Amino acid sequence: MNRRTSSVASRLLARRAADLKRHVPGAIDGDAHGVHQARVASRRLREAVPVLTAGVRGTKARKVRGKIRRLTQTLGSVRELDVTIQLLDELVAKEALPRPALEAVRGRVVLERDARRAVMLRRFEHVNMPKLERRLASVGEVLVATRGESWRDALGARLLKRSKALAAAMTAAGHMYSPEQLHQVRIAAKKLRYAMELAFDAGVKSAAAPVRTVKRAQDTLGRLHDLQVLHAHVAAVQAEPSGRSLPDGGLDVISEALENECRHMHARYVATMPKLAAVVETTRAVVVPALAHRARALKMTKMTLPAPPARQPQARSVRRAPARRVGPAAGGQR
């Protein structure tokens, strides 16, 4: 068995499973950072499991992916509102916008966040983390024992799929400010990044620069999305009778400021579009071939390794009967 190559997949899986296990307790305790990190870890696992188990039988990967998906959804309902509260706190600290209006919006978001957190905790009761950990460990044991390198081909195919999806989303969004289409670009960039990180961790050094480029674009689009979510909450408060009674038209001032910053973040994204297009090309022309080359090199190494010497059967020892003594007394007997 070629243990060196077959254990790469198990190490990649174990690292991502350990990240999830480390951050889930903080998420359950209500820590905003823990919720974020646990959600990211779950998304990385969702990207890794189908790739690493490609062509391997007996892993029950589909069931594992289903459990991880439910965990991601459970964490997602709270994460978005945690970010909105953090953004509101930033705006309050800057003291550039009307504080009474900001506090009114914050109060509404906090109430909704607390309600969603209660739902999250109820859902966690149906997420059996010890069982998920055992299943991930079981998948890892199967990967340790496997001889194949089919996961490298699966990762190459996944990278091509993810990069094409990003290119298509960018084309659909164009240069126009369209929140929904820009959100699709953000999702496509996130998925490509997680697949690219898997390639880098598998030893493809050419994946490092694309990961950095995609992360910067993802951060820009993420900030834009967060501003859009906050803008929607401001609009919701404006629609309430209490919102219209706030002094100095504070909500209108906040709404205009958020809209301006959204336009600014969109301009930053547009500036990164050529670099993202280059990432798509690099994925096709450099990263995926590097994965295939590494797989072929490992296969050739396996084929050219000298076969272990055949085990020679040990000669069975024959127990010889002791020599019969012949003496004068024996000689006289008949």
Side-chain angles (χ1 to χ4, degrees):
M1 179 186 297
N2 191 346
R3 265 190 199 279
R4 178 181 175 278
T5 58
S6 65
S7 64
V8 173
S10 64
R11 290 199 300 268
L12 292 173
L13 180 68
R15 183 182 307 172
R16 284 154 176 77
D19 285 342
L20 180 63
K21 182 178 180 179
R22 183 168 63 254
H23 294 297
V24 163
I28 295 175
D29 290 342
D31 177 63
H33 180 71
V35 171
H36 172 61
Q37 292 299 327
R39 191 162 185 249
V40 170
S42 70
R43 287 189 177 278
R44 285 192 171 116
L45 267 174
R46 286 173 60 184
E47 191 70 19
V49 169
V51 168
L52 299 177
T53 58
V56 181
R57 295 182 178 181
T59 61
K60 298 183 179 180
R62 187 182 298 275
K63 291 184 178 180
V64 172
R65 289 168 60 190
K67 290 183 178 296
I68 299 171
R69 185 183 299 109
R70 286 193 292 273
L71 179 60
T72 305
Q73 294 169 348
T74 297
L75 295 166
S77 61
V78 175
R79 169 60 187 166
E80 188 175 80
L81 294 178
D82 281 336
V83 173
T84 304
I85 292 172
Q86 291 171 1
L87 185 52
L88 281 164
D89 291 342
E90 290 177 18
L91 296 176
V92 169
K94 289 180 180 178
E95 299 182 351
L97 296 174
R99 183 158 187 161
L102 288 172
E103 293 292 351
V105 177
R106 192 181 190 282
R108 182 183 190 278
V109 175
V110 168
L111 286 175
E112 185 174 345
R113 192 277 308 271
D114 291 344
R116 288 194 186 183
R117 184 169 183 274
V119 173
M120 182 192 78
L121 293 176
R122 287 198 299 270
R123 289 180 177 176
F124 258 120
E125 296 175 359
H126 302 285
V127 178
N128 190 332
M129 284 303 300
K131 186 174 182 180
L132 175 58
E133 291 168 9
R134 288 195 300 271
R135 288 203 166 173
L136 286 169
S138 176
V139 172
E141 291 172 1
V142 175
L143 293 178
V144 168
T146 186
R147 294 172 179 265
E149 290 292 321
S150 57
W151 65 269
R152 295 183 184 273
D153 295 331
L155 179 55
R158 180 63 65 97
L159 283 166
L160 289 175
K161 178 182 177 180
R162 297 306 193 205
S163 62
K164 289 178 181 178
L166 176 58
M170 291 171 61
T171 300
H175 290 75
M176 301 298 292
Y177 178 61
S178 173
E180 180 55 35
Q181 289 177 323
L182 289 169
H183 183 53
Q184 295 304 315
V185 176
R186 174 175 170 255
I187 292 173
K190 185 186 303 183
K191 291 180 178 180
L192 176 59
R193 174 190 164 191
Y194 294 152
M196 195 71 73
E197 287 175 344
L198 197 59
F200 176 75
D201 289 345
V204 181
K205 302 304 181 184
S206 57
V211 167
R212 290 193 295 268
T213 300
V214 174
K215 185 180 185 303
R216 284 193 293 267
Q218 183 186 335
D219 290 343
T220 299
L221 290 169
R223 175 75 176 187
L224 175 57
H225 177 70
D226 297 340
L227 290 166
Q228 290 166 349
V229 171
L230 176 55
H231 192 271
H233 284 288
V234 171
V237 175
Q238 284 178 310
E240 297 173 352
S242 59
R244 290 191 288 269
S245 65
L246 288 169
D248 303 324
L251 291 172
D252 293 333
V253 174
I254 296 172
S255 180
E256 183 178 358
L258 291 174
E259 185 69 23
N260 290 336
E261 189 170 355
C262 283
R263 298 287 179 180
H264 174 69
M265 298 306 296
H266 177 250
R268 286 182 59 179
Y269 157 70
V270 171
T272 66
M273 287 178 65
K275 293 181 179 180
L276 282 177
V279 166
V280 172
E281 178 60 23
T282 300
T283 302
R284 182 193 65 81
V286 180
V287 178
V288 172
L291 264 174
H293 175 74
R294 190 171 180 84
R296 286 195 299 271
L298 290 169
K299 184 176 180 180
M300 292 301 297
T301 301
K302 182 178 177 181
M303 292 174 61
T304 56
L305 284 175
R311 187 175 179 180
Q312 299 295 331
Q314 295 182 354
R316 294 180 61 185
S317 59
V318 179
R319 187 173 180 179
R320 304 178 68 177
R324 186 176 179 183
R325 294 185 58 187
V326 179
Q333 293 178 353
R334 297 228 177 234

